[in-house]
Amino acid sequence: MRIIILLISLVITSFSSICLYSEETSNASQAITEESAVKTEETKEEVQKYTLVYKFPAGQEIYYQLTIDKKDEFNVGGKKFDVKKKTVVYISQLSKGVDEEGNGLLIVTYLQGWQDTIRIFSQSKEVKVKMSPKGEILETQGLQEVAAEFLKVVQYNLADYIPGIDRLPVKIDLTKMPSNAFNVYWQAFIFPVPETPVAAGDIWKRKDKNSDVTIQYKLQEVKEGKAYIEVITEGKRGLLDGKAIFDIENGYVISNQVTMVTDATGKIAQRAAKEISGATGTEVKPASNLPEKTYISFKMEYVPME
């Protein structure tokens, strides 16, 4: 089980774990109080505040496209070149209403996907999710089936840094593992709304449980019922920034995009190779040429259906 959890965490949460070597954010120009607190910019005039919560009207079905773009920049003997990979997955989210405590009951279906030209999710995978109005995943059923598909993406991407890992035999059947064991990794894909009402200029933050990196969010503006949010975190070895759009009235994410850049890919690959070798008993080594920088763009975008 250790090797499975290691592999899954390395890529499924890649948009946060790429900053494994980052420490507390170095962006000291904006002081932030305790976790989940919101800081309001001082103003003499009373400002309008907005409550951002997820809503789960029964029968509402939303479609998303998840796109992960990865680009590695190499410098071999003074010759620079890029290597790119793309993963695309189409997802539907059907609300079955709420339970007695107001938590959303969702059926999330992974319809189909590709990593470059390689098909993943040849058959759709359905996951039952219980989620709080603040976006916390409380319970899941069937997430292990999705994890098994994403394991292919994990090995496919890590093979750039650790040759042969995509052919490493994995003898543990993920489908026999409890679904809730994977909740913490999928939580990283859920946009975290603030705990309290916010006004334009307010900042809130979330500490990612997978990478121990703190990410901050700033409400830039509200226009036509949509909240436009800036996402940023900066550490010693990586920079993460992005933007999100949240539909306040209907209570769902329209777009959530995060882009990272790091020069720590080599150290991450060396650490991963060592841990994987120890967990499997099969020696694996990092590639002789590792990228100077790695860029990863993660985007979850609402797809209107006619």
Side-chain angles (χ1 to χ4, degrees):
M1 182 179 294
R2 179 185 171 193
I3 180 60
I4 297 299
I5 296 299
L6 174 62
L7 289 173
I8 292 294
S9 64
L10 280 171
V11 173
I12 291 180
T13 58
S14 59
F15 68 94
S16 58
S17 64
I18 201 72
C19 298
L20 279 168
Y21 294 90
S22 300
E23 298 179 358
E24 291 293 326
T25 176
S26 62
N27 188 1
S29 61
Q30 297 180 344
I32 305 176
T33 58
E34 62 184 81
E35 187 171 353
S36 300
V38 175
K39 170 180 172 289
T40 304
E41 294 182 349
E42 295 183 358
T43 176
K44 295 181 180 180
E45 299 180 1
E46 184 177 352
V47 296
Q48 183 174 358
K49 293 194 173 186
Y50 303 88
T51 300
L52 277 61
V53 294
Y54 285 92
K55 299 178 182 179
F56 314 101
Q60 181 188 62
E61 188 165 20
I62 302 172
Y63 291 85
Y64 287 102
Q65 176 178 315
L66 166 63
T67 304
I68 303 174
D69 288 300
K70 182 170 73 73
K71 183 180 78 169
D72 290 316
E73 290 186 349
F74 291 86
N75 186 342
V76 180
K79 183 179 180 180
K80 295 185 178 182
F81 61 94
D82 300 337
V83 175
K84 299 179 181 179
K85 285 189 174 180
K86 178 186 290 287
T87 301
V88 178
V89 180
Y90 294 96
I91 306 165
S92 70
Q93 177 180 294
L94 174 64
S95 172
K96 305 297 285 186
V98 297
D99 64 9
E100 61 277 4
E101 297 178 348
N103 299 309
L105 304 175
L106 306 171
I107 296 178
V108 179
T109 305
Y110 290 75
L111 301 168
Q112 57 184 341
W114 290 265
Q115 45 186 9
D116 294 330
T117 59
I118 301 173
R119 181 73 180 268
I120 54 176
F121 294 103
S122 56
Q123 294 182 336
S124 62
K125 303 291 183 181
E126 183 179 288
V127 182
K128 294 181 180 179
V129 180
K130 180 188 288 189
M131 188 171 81
S132 77
K134 290 299 181 182
E136 181 184 359
I137 297 177
L138 303 173
E139 294 178 16
T140 62
Q141 295 178 31
L143 197 51
Q144 65 272 55
E145 299 275 354
V146 176
E149 290 295 320
F150 269 97
L151 180 57
K152 302 173 186 176
V153 180
V154 170
Q155 292 181 287
Y156 179 70
N157 281 274
L158 284 182
D160 291 341
Y161 316 130
I162 307 173
I165 195 173
D166 53 333
R167 300 185 297 276
L168 189 69
V170 178
K171 299 180 181 180
I172 297 177
D173 186 356
L174 291 187
T175 62
K176 295 181 179 179
M177 295 176 63
S179 178
N180 288 323
F182 299 96
N183 291 359
V184 65
Y185 303 118
W186 259 259
Q187 185 67 61
F189 287 95
I190 307 299
F191 175 76
V193 295
E195 293 293 330
T196 58
V198 289
D202 283 1
I203 295 172
W204 66 99
K205 64 176 182 174
R206 183 193 72 179
K207 191 170 185 178
D208 184 83
K209 294 180 181 179
N210 299 298
S211 62
D212 202 33
V213 172
T214 299
I215 304 171
Q216 73 176 44
Y217 305 83
K218 181 177 182 179
L219 179 60
Q220 297 285 70
E221 63 174 338
V222 174
K223 185 167 56 177
E224 298 179 349
K226 299 178 179 64
Y228 292 81
I229 299 144
E230 178 187 27
V231 185
I232 188 167
T233 243
E234 186 174 1
K236 291 184 177 181
R237 292 188 178 274
L239 171 66
L240 177 153
D241 62 11
K243 55 187 177 181
I245 305 174
F246 191 88
D247 188 321
I248 299 175
E249 180 179 354
N250 295 301
Y252 66 85
V253 171
I254 297 174
S255 177
N256 182 19
Q257 182 172 6
V258 176
T259 301
M260 302 148 303
V261 56
T262 182
D263 60 0
T265 309
K267 290 191 175 182
I268 294 172
Q270 291 168 2
R271 174 182 173 180
K274 182 178 179 180
E275 293 189 13
I276 291 169
S277 296
T280 63
T282 301
E283 185 179 10
V284 293
K285 295 181 179 180
S288 56
N289 293 313
L290 292 167
E292 289 187 324
K293 286 188 178 180
T294 296
Y295 299 79
I296 296 180
S297 174
F298 160 92
K299 187 173 186 179
M300 182 78 83
E301 187 173 27
Y302 166 72
V303 179
M305 300 300 291
E306 296 181 356

